[in-house]
Amino acid sequence: MQITHPLNVLKFCPKCGSPEFHQSGDRSLKCDQCSFHFFFNSAAAVAALVTDGEGKLMLTTRAVEPDSGKLDLPGGFIDPGESAENAVKRELEEELSMKVKSLEYIGSAPNEYIFSGYSVFTLDMAFRVVPESVTGLVAMDDILDYRFFAEDEIDYTQIPAPSIKSFVKQYFLK
Ligand SMILES: [Zn+2]
């Protein structure tokens, strides 16, 4: 198990502060003092597959850690209480000022990355997105830039997230 795994990182109960906070089963910690039971679950996230009409796929350049400067699909975490569909629309608006015309669920893939010394587990859900327009877009928020890529223009070593890499490869198989 990685040293960044929650079982190795979390030393104190987040509710009462007790150090009597121990592993309970494979993926939870329980407090002996106040009985608080903390589970680590996958966080839900979305990724958008947007094309330019010629079959090229939009990739963004990340502006934030982890993997700042590397390639990604537009998207992000689903807010608590939010639907995946709404998260796609919200993220595309926030990151690119893009309006979504239609979207279709493609499939999901798990991902794990380290953020502030802590392993974060996500379930990334991919959506095929038809935008209202691909002109007048602006890279904002947590992306630096965006570009449409033909398959032979993509350097897969620049896409660090295995889930995102698999969505991109899958897109070009069709
Ligand atoms: Zn406690």
Side-chain angles (χ1 to χ4, degrees), residues 48-53 56-59 73-74 92 96 98 127-131 133-134 137 148 171:
L49 297 153
V50 183
T51 61
D52 66 350
K56 290 187 176 186
L57 180 68
M58 176 187 280
L59 294 176
L73 288 167
L92 288 172
L96 293 152
M98 181 190 289
F127 286 82
R128 185 75 181 265
V129 170
V130 178
S133 171
V134 290
L137 302 178
F148 289 94
Y171 167 81

Side-chain angles (χ1 to χ4, degrees), residues 48 50 58 74 88-100 129-134 136-138 140 148:
V50 183
M58 176 187 280
V88 172
K89 292 175 190 168
R90 179 181 51 72
E91 288 286 348
L92 288 172
E93 175 76 46
E94 287 174 2
E95 294 183 341
L96 293 152
S97 200
M98 181 190 289
K99 297 270 185 282
V100 172
V129 170
V130 178
E132 295 272 356
S133 171
V134 290
L137 302 178
V138 191
M140 301 178 291
F148 289 94

Side-chain angles (χ1 to χ4, degrees), residues 44-126:
V46 292
L49 297 153
V50 183
T51 61
D52 66 350
E54 295 170 17
K56 290 187 176 186
L57 180 68
M58 176 187 280
L59 294 176
T60 58
T61 305
R62 295 178 61 83
V64 292
E65 293 299 336
D67 302 319
S68 184
K70 297 289 175 70
L71 294 176
D72 201 357
L73 288 167
F77 285 107
I78 300 173
D79 285 342
E82 184 181 42
S83 71
E85 289 81 359
N86 195 77
V88 172
K89 292 175 190 168
R90 179 181 51 72
E91 288 286 348
L92 288 172
E93 175 76 46
E94 287 174 2
E95 294 183 341
L96 293 152
S97 200
M98 181 190 289
K99 297 270 185 282
V100 172
K101 190 172 175 185
S102 65
L103 51 78
E104 181 194 359
Y105 177 67
I106 301 294
S108 67
N111 193 22
E112 178 183 347
Y113 65 87
I114 297 165
F115 183 71
S116 56
Y118 185 74
S119 294
V120 177
F121 304 96
T122 70
L123 179 68
D124 298 341
M125 288 176 259

